[in-house]
Amino acid sequence: MIVAALYALVFFTGDGKPYPKLGIDLQGGTRVTLTARTLDGQPPTTESLNQARQIIETRVNGMGVSGSEVTRDGNNLVITVPGEGSEEAKQLGQTAELNFRKVVNMVPAQAPPAGTAPQAATQQPGDQEREIEEAKRTRQSTDPAVQMQALQALDCAADDPLRGNDDPKLPLVACDREGQYKYVLEPVFLEGREISNAQAVPPSPQDPGWKVSLDFKSEGAKVWADFTSANVGQQAAFVLDSEVVSAPTIQRALLGGNAQITGQFNQQSATDLADILKYGSLPLAFDQSEAETVSATLGVASLEAGLLAGGIGLLLVAVYCLLYYRLLGILTILSLALSGVVVYGVLVLLGRWIGFTLDLAGVAGFIIAIGITADSFIVFFERLKDEIREGRTFRSAVPRAWTRARRTILSADTVSFLAAAVLYVLAVGQVKGFAFTLGMSTVLDLVVVFLVTHPLVALASKNKFLSKPSVSGLGAVQRLGNQNRAARKAAVTTAKEA
């Protein structure tokens, strides 16, 4: 029933493709280089670059075990994601500086009339610092006349030099995300760092469209409540990296310490924005290079070698079990096969649900897990043979052997799982993939042993044909058990006669 439910999810949810996602080292990926820029034009500090890299790595982990890589290359950060994930890589590098500003004026966006773009006359190609300063002089002026001139001149279709560089203490002239409206905004009254949590909210019959729900920290909740109480009927702009993503009208005072960002969101864009806001703003602004495709670092040959190693390991375990355990060996092979089926289905679903990608380190984790699973069978079977040696029948020995073996199996798997968990927490990069697959396989080992191996052995012990010594492979053990039982009876008889 579990396998049926698992594969119903595999074939009838998501894209329906029954294939796990592969990591960078197996299928290649997409690389985006982020070049850091500062307001004063000076090189970024090592501390700020390291902080940015750590935040992006946190975003990667928060968005799933995807096998993405984030590395420093001088003053650049290089993000590599498996597959054709260029948009995902670019999303990870967004500065995500969310602030809240009161709307002073809003007009429909139009192409700027000729001769009314004051910043265009002084722009110098390649002089990024000067371009930013000129935009600040006009679009962040405190003079209402200059603000209106900047509002008319602003071109929402052009690249924004203020992206992530606006001064929160000054007013701001900005466009919305869709380029449909232009705004004059007051200085920031609430910073995005006061957000404690963010999550995507799906549409409902009463409120269609995807949204992003925000929860504020205690101080931010107080500021938000005071602002909404004093500005009912006014607009509050949610400004992400100098761009208005939503400017709702305040209908009533909001005292619960939460807010919602509405806009032209779909599920992916709402989830991306929520993840970025949840895991923090970057300390630097970045310019993005074009996404480029990178080939697999180890390639299909390495995958084939890993699968070959796993196949040889399974074959050796199967041969050993058949020679040593006979019927019990066949049950071991059936259990291992079912374990492989379950693992494969879980890999496919994890790739859809949390972005998990299988790399060579993960394959190594699964190969090691074969030995852990086989150990559980051996513990059970050897305990069963001990019970039979003491003179019990195959049928009566199974429940006693299982009760005693179960504690050992649980203890051993707990130790293995804890080791994998500690390794996952402390490790970085592909070692995390190894720890993840090892821990997951250990959990699935318990599922297979408890729900498959033990029931199969119990059923075999109750079948006349399968419980025959010549079939079960327990003939020698049963003969020894009969001898021990006869010896004990003889000793009891002798004692009574004495």
Side-chain angles (χ1 to χ4, degrees), residues 469-491:
S470 59
V471 176
S472 66
L474 299 172
V477 179
Q478 286 181 327
R479 286 192 294 271
L480 181 59
N482 292 336
Q483 294 174 3
N484 292 335
R485 186 168 58 248
R488 285 196 297 270
K489 287 182 178 180

Side-chain angles (χ1 to χ4, degrees), residues 349-404:
L349 294 178
L350 288 180
R352 296 178 189 170
W353 294 344
I354 67 171
F356 175 77
T357 55
L358 180 64
D359 52 23
L360 283 179
V363 172
F366 284 126
I367 294 174
I368 292 177
I370 294 174
I372 295 177
T373 303
D375 282 346
S376 298
F377 302 152
I378 292 173
V379 168
F380 180 27
F381 297 160
E382 290 302 316
R383 187 66 232 180
L384 177 63
K385 293 167 71 173
D386 289 342
E387 294 293 332
I388 296 176
R389 287 192 188 96
E390 293 180 2
R392 294 179 178 86
T393 64
F394 185 12
R395 182 169 183 171
S396 64
V398 169
R400 291 177 60 87
W402 172 246
T403 300
R404 297 185 178 183

Side-chain angles (χ1 to χ4, degrees), residues 138-216:
T138 56
R139 291 173 52 193
Q140 294 210 270
S141 173
T142 57
D143 185 344
V146 178
Q147 291 175 3
M148 292 305 298
Q149 188 179 21
L151 186 69
Q152 294 177 356
L154 181 59
D155 183 3
C156 293
D159 291 336
D160 187 0
L162 279 183
R163 182 179 64 84
N165 293 313
D166 61 291
D167 189 338
K169 298 178 182 179
L170 296 175
L172 175 66
V173 176
C175 296
D176 69 348
R177 172 170 286 188
E178 291 76 33
Q180 297 178 350
Y181 293 96
K182 297 187 285 188
Y183 298 83
V184 178
L185 309 171
E186 288 188 356
V188 171
F189 68 87
L190 179 62
E191 296 182 345
R193 68 185 63 180
E194 291 296 325
I195 296 173
S196 62
N197 191 28
Q199 59 183 353
V201 179
S204 64
Q206 295 79 20
D207 193 3
W210 281 87
K211 299 169 288 296
V212 177
S213 176
L214 306 177
D215 293 323
F216 294 108

Side-chain angles (χ1 to χ4, degrees), residues 53 57 61 361 419-436:
R53 183 185 62 81
E57 284 184 342
N61 295 331
V422 171
L423 184 61
Y424 181 82
V425 171
L426 298 180
V428 295
Q430 293 187 347
V431 180
K432 278 185 175 291
F434 170 80
F436 185 86

Side-chain angles (χ1 to χ4, degrees), residues 83-138:
E84 303 295 329
S86 59
E87 291 305 317
E88 179 183 357
K90 291 180 180 179
Q91 189 73 20
L92 291 170
Q94 285 192 3
T95 52
E97 186 67 39
L98 180 72
N99 291 311
F100 299 83
R101 296 173 179 263
K102 183 179 178 180
V103 176
V104 177
N105 193 9
M106 180 183 74
V107 298
Q110 298 176 351
T116 60
Q119 68 268 39
T122 58
Q123 281 183 341
Q124 296 182 9
D127 192 349
Q128 195 172 61
E129 181 183 354
R130 184 165 183 173
E131 186 180 12
I132 293 173
E133 290 301 321
E134 180 62 24
K136 281 188 175 184
R137 186 183 67 81
T138 56

